[in-house]
Amino acid sequence: MENNWIVAKFGGSSVRDAQAMLRCCQIIENNPKIKVVVISATQNTTNQLETVSKTAQVGDGMGLELVVNEIINKHIYIARELFTSPAVLLELEVLCGELKALGALILKDRLCSPATMDELNSLGERMSSLLFADLLRLRIPKKIVQLLDARKIIKTNSDFQKAEPQIELIAKNCESQILPTINDETLFVTQGFIGSDSEDCTTTLGREGSDYSATLIGEGVSASLVQIWTDVTGIASCDPRLVDEVKFIKTISYDEATALASLGAKVLFPSTLLPTKRKNIPVFVGSSLYPDRGGTLITQEHDCAFSLKAISLLENKDGAFVSFVGTHIDKKNDLKNILLSYLGADCFQFTKVNIHSITFKIDQSKLEKSLAIKKAHLALSKFI
Ligand code: ADP
Ligand code: ASP
Ligand code: MG
C-alpha cells in the first residue's frame, strides 16, 4: 500500500514568533496527513549563536552577555505568549543554562572548535522545537506529540559544520524510531539542521540545512510528500527580494531546482532534493503566511524541449554571477549570444553552460549587481 504521509518543514521565518508558530500549527491541524514536523531555529537565532561564538572568542564579555540575553529573552517571550507548560519552561531553562555555559567556556578558552560551534548551534533548533511541540500539544490535544531528538535520527560523519548524512543509518533510525508509531494519533516533531556522528557528538548539515533534514526524513519514512513552508509562495523566476515582477513557478524538476539552489537561490539548501529524487518523492514549497495561495511542486518530470525558468545570483570570492536555469539549455543554438544581446556584452561575460544552466559573470566595475540581476530578469522574460 502507498504511504500517504507528509513530512512538513517550517523555516526560521515561519516560526519567528508566537503568531507565526500559531500559523504553522494551523497548517498541521488542517492536514492530518502531516506525521512528521521539522522545525528550524527561530529567525536570526543561528546568526546570534554565531555572534555568541565570535564575541566569546575575542574576549568581549559584555557583547557575549548581551547576545546570550537576547536569545534567552526572545524564547522566554515566545513561551509566555504561547502559554508554554511549566515542565517545558523548565526544559527551556536547562537549554538556556547550556547556552550560558558554552558561551563561558568559549570565553575562557578564547577558542570555539567546529564541534563546539555545532553544539552551540544546535541550541537554536532545540529551543524552537521544544516550544513548538508544546504548542502542538496544547492546540491539538487529540494528538500524541512526540518530540524526537534529531541527533538520534540524522547520523552523519564527523565533518562538523558541514556534516555528510549517513543514509543507511538514517533509514534504520526512521524504521526503528518513527515508522512503528506512525499513525493517526501521533505527531512527531524534530529539529532541522542538526545530527550526530558515530561518537554521538552533535553535528550540523551546514547553514540553511533544515530543508535537507526534512527530505532525509521524508526518504527515511518513504513519505508521499515533503512540504517546505517558508516566507514565499514557492520558487519564483528570481529572488523576490531582488526583483519586483517575479513569476512564481507551478512545477519544476528536481534537477532544475537543484541547479537553481546550487547557483545561489537561497530558497532551498543545495542538497535538499537528493533524498527525494532517490525515492521519487515530490516536494512542495509554499508560504506559511499564505498557505492557501499554493506554491511550487518539485518532481522528476522535466520538459522535453528547451526551456528557461528562473535566474539566480551567486557571489563568491571570484565575483558575482548570474545564472539562467532550465532544461536542455546546452542544446539551444546560439543561446549565449542571444542572451548577451539582451544583457549587453560589455557588462556580462559568459562563464559556463550545461544542460540545466548558463552562467555569466557580472562586470561590477561597469554595472552594479542589483541592476545586473534586473537586466537578467528582463532577458529571462523573453523566454517565459
Ligand atoms: P526559511 O527561513 O524558511 O528557510 P529562507 O530565507 O532560507 O527561508 O528562504 C526563503 C527566501 O529565499 C525567500 O525569502 C527569498 O528571498 C529567497 N529566494 C531566493 N531565490 C528565490 C527564488 N528563486 N524563489 C523564491 N525565493 C527565493
Ligand atoms: N537554523 C539554521 C540556519 O539558520 C538551519 C536552517 O534554518 O535551515 O542556518
Ligand atoms: Mg532556508
Side-chain angles (χ1 to χ4, degrees), residues 9 11-13 208 211 229-232 234-241 260 265-267:
K9 175 254 170 177
S13 52
E208 303 291 334
D211 301 330
W229 293 101
T230 179
D231 60 353
V232 279
I235 300 178
S237 53
C238 181
D239 184 341
R241 287 183 210 197
L260 199 61
K266 189 181 171 246
V267 64

Side-chain angles (χ1 to χ4, degrees), residues 368-382:
E368 216 200 309
K369 62 177 187 288
S370 64
L371 286 175
I373 196 83
K374 288 188 174 73
K375 218 168 183 188
H377 195 257
L378 214 58
L380 176 78
S381 67
K382 317 261 186 204

Side-chain angles (χ1 to χ4, degrees), residues 38 80 148 173 232 234 292 344 359:
V38 176
R80 281 215 193 101
L148 276 178
N173 291 337
V232 279
D292 299 332
T359 301

Side-chain angles (χ1 to χ4, degrees), residues 72 75-97 130-131 134:
I72 293 175
H75 288 86
I76 289 180
Y77 186 77
I78 295 176
R80 281 215 193 101
E81 295 230 295
L82 294 177
F83 302 103
T84 298
S85 65
V88 169
L89 280 178
L90 283 179
E91 287 184 62
L92 182 63
E93 236 172 71
V94 172
L95 294 180
C96 294
L130 181 69
L131 297 181
D134 196 58

